[in-house]
Amino acid sequence: MTIGADAIVVGGGIHGCSTALHLCLAGIKPVLIEKDYDGRHASGVNAGGVRQLARHIPEIPLSIRSMGIWERISELVDDDCSFESHGQVLVAENDDELATCRARVAELNALGFTHEELIGVAELRRLVPAVADSCPGGVVSRRDGAANPAQTTTAFRRKAERLGAIVREGVAATNIRQSDGLWHVDAGADSYAAPVLVNAAGAWAGRIAADLGEPVPVETVAPMLMITSRVPHFIDPVVILRGRKLSFKQFSNGTVLIGGGHLATPDQDRNETVLDWKGLAISARTVFELFPVMRDASIVRAWAGIEARTKDDLPVFGPSALHKGLYHQFGFSLHGFQLGPGAGAVMAELITNGGTQTRIGDLGIDRFHPSTL
């Protein structure tokens, strides 16, 4: 049985769900197809960082666009998504790292971006009083914060459904093909047809792109996280480091979430990951060195989520270079959660208007075309 739709979105992470919602708001009723359940992979199990701080310059306009949506997230999805805005602080552990921070902020200011602010030791101590005395300063992005990733992804999916999106969970999108100006996708016993197809399939999106003649140098990765036992409240902002791999935040119940980029071994065919306990130990040791208050805490649980990382660590975002009606939205390379709300809005603009005022030109799939390599 073939079912007609205005658009087909493959992938039920934060990006697919956001795009489905914004298409509904634009009067386009999509079908969203997710092989597991929405938020099953990276979108539901990441650190929840809502971060403009320390982004690659080509994705800053999209990040800024998204930040404006985060600040009114309840109006959009009827859920606060547990979003809190206490800022994010990048800590320099020595003078050389602080010099790098100074150069970064100067570069952004020259480009017209003012969201990153260089801070010295006094402001660092005010924002993060428990940090080690040896740290000389860093950078703060004061509007940044964190949210609950699973709650957020579910809120986007739920609102999209209320506005008319068809959501198919637990069935894989297969046999993707184009015929007579329509994209056809099988999902279980049904087949859907629509003039628009959005490839937002996360770690599986590279396979779809390759099958459609647009291969991308993308790898499957699995960033690890762990949660600690409760410790007395000592920090409000999210903290990341300039040099070593680390990000962490403290919840209201006293537990601390530790991440930062150490990777597990993913098996995307089996939906499984194997944790790297040595990597987790390095993250834990870094926290204990930087924050003495954490030295009596214990690790309660650890996990990893599967996602895609491109060769240049930038997402593939925008229309296909080969096919009419095909759009790509994947490869967010361990930093896509904050971008989700804005990316959905921009994708809906691309589909309905043929363009957007948000600068995304450096994120297109055409940068991987053989003629540009």
Side-chain angles (χ1 to χ4, degrees):
M1 175 182 178
T2 299
I3 302 169
D6 295 334
I8 301 169
V9 180
V10 179
I14 180 66
H15 285 273
C17 291
S18 178
T19 293
L21 170 55
H22 283 95
L23 286 174
C24 288
L25 291 172
I28 296 176
K29 298 302 171 63
V31 57
L32 175 69
I33 302 172
E34 165 56 46
K35 70 181 186 65
D36 295 301
Y37 57 83
D38 294 330
R40 163 65 177 82
H41 297 288
S43 290
V45 298
N46 62 78
V50 180
R51 174 177 64 84
Q52 298 175 101
L53 181 65
R55 286 198 171 274
H56 297 289
I57 289 173
E59 65 185 14
I60 288 177
L62 184 58
S63 180
I64 292 173
R65 173 74 181 274
S66 201
M67 200 69 225
I69 298 175
W70 275 107
E71 290 174 333
R72 52 180 177 82
I73 196 72
S74 294
E75 299 174 21
L76 179 63
V77 297
D78 306 322
D79 191 313
D80 68 4
C81 301
S82 297
F83 172 58
E84 295 181 343
S85 179
H86 296 296
Q88 292 211 14
V89 178
L90 185 153
V91 175
E93 295 187 75
N94 54 57
D95 289 337
D96 287 342
E97 291 183 3
L98 186 60
T100 301
C101 292
R102 183 177 295 107
R104 158 75 176 190
V105 172
E107 179 185 20
L108 292 187
N109 289 344
L111 293 170
F113 299 122
T114 59
H115 58 284
E116 293 192 11
E117 175 187 340
L118 186 72
I119 56 174
V121 63
E123 181 65 359
L124 177 61
R125 294 290 179 276
R126 189 187 73 82
L127 293 171
V128 191
V131 73
D133 292 339
S134 58
C135 297
V139 179
V140 62
S141 182
R142 299 186 189 274
R143 294 167 62 197
D144 292 5
N148 183 308
Q151 179 183 350
T152 302
T153 304
T154 298
F156 272 88
R157 186 263 299 158
R158 190 169 52 228
K159 186 62 178 286
E161 279 190 296
R162 284 204 295 267
L163 294 179
I166 297 172
V167 177
R168 294 293 310 274
E169 295 179 289
V171 289
T174 60
N175 194 23
I176 298 174
R177 70 270 185 202
Q178 189 180 36
S179 176
D180 298 325
L182 295 177
W183 288 98
H184 297 261
V185 180
D186 295 340
D190 295 322
S191 182
Y192 294 91
V196 170
L197 173 67
V198 180
N199 174 21
W204 293 263
R207 295 179 179 178
I208 294 174
D211 288 345
L212 296 176
E214 294 186 288
V216 171
V218 62
E219 64 174 327
T220 302
V221 294
M224 298 187 295
L225 294 166
M226 51 188 166
I227 197 82
T228 73
S229 57
R230 299 181 183 186
V231 297
H233 176 79
F234 69 97
I235 191 170
D236 288 317
V238 178
V239 170
I240 62 178
L241 296 188
R242 171 72 267 174
R244 292 186 286 178
K245 292 181 178 180
L246 178 70
S247 71
F248 76 100
K249 74 175 297 292
Q250 186 174 30
F251 293 105
S252 59
N253 67 357
T255 60
V256 176
L257 181 69
I258 302 171
H262 289 284
L263 302 177
T265 300
D267 186 334
Q268 65 185 113
D269 292 326
R270 299 178 61 182
N271 281 5
E272 294 178 354
T273 60
V274 178
L275 297 180
D276 175 6
W277 294 101
K278 291 183 178 178
L280 289 171
I282 292 172
S283 291
R285 186 163 55 249
T286 301
V287 173
F288 298 162
E289 291 174 359
L290 196 64
F291 291 93
V293 69
M294 291 293 298
R295 290 175 183 170
D296 292 330
S298 58
I299 303 302
V300 174
R301 185 167 64 92
W303 67 93
I306 299 176
E307 60 178 288
R309 182 165 65 187
T310 61
K311 184 177 181 180
D312 58 7
D313 281 330
L314 290 172
V316 177
F317 187 80
S320 163
L322 292 180
H323 304 291
K324 183 179 180 180
L326 173 62
Y327 298 83
H328 296 289
Q329 188 175 353
F330 69 93
F332 287 88
S333 305
L334 288 76
H335 51 247
F337 179 67
Q338 186 267 351
L339 299 175
V346 171
M347 183 58 71
E349 291 171 354
L350 292 173
I351 292 169
T352 58
N353 302 329
T356 177
Q357 294 298 309
T358 302
R359 298 200 306 273
I360 58 168
D362 292 329
L363 306 180
I365 198 168
D366 56 351
R367 71 186 191 270
F368 296 117
H369 188 274
S371 64
T372 67
L373 295 179

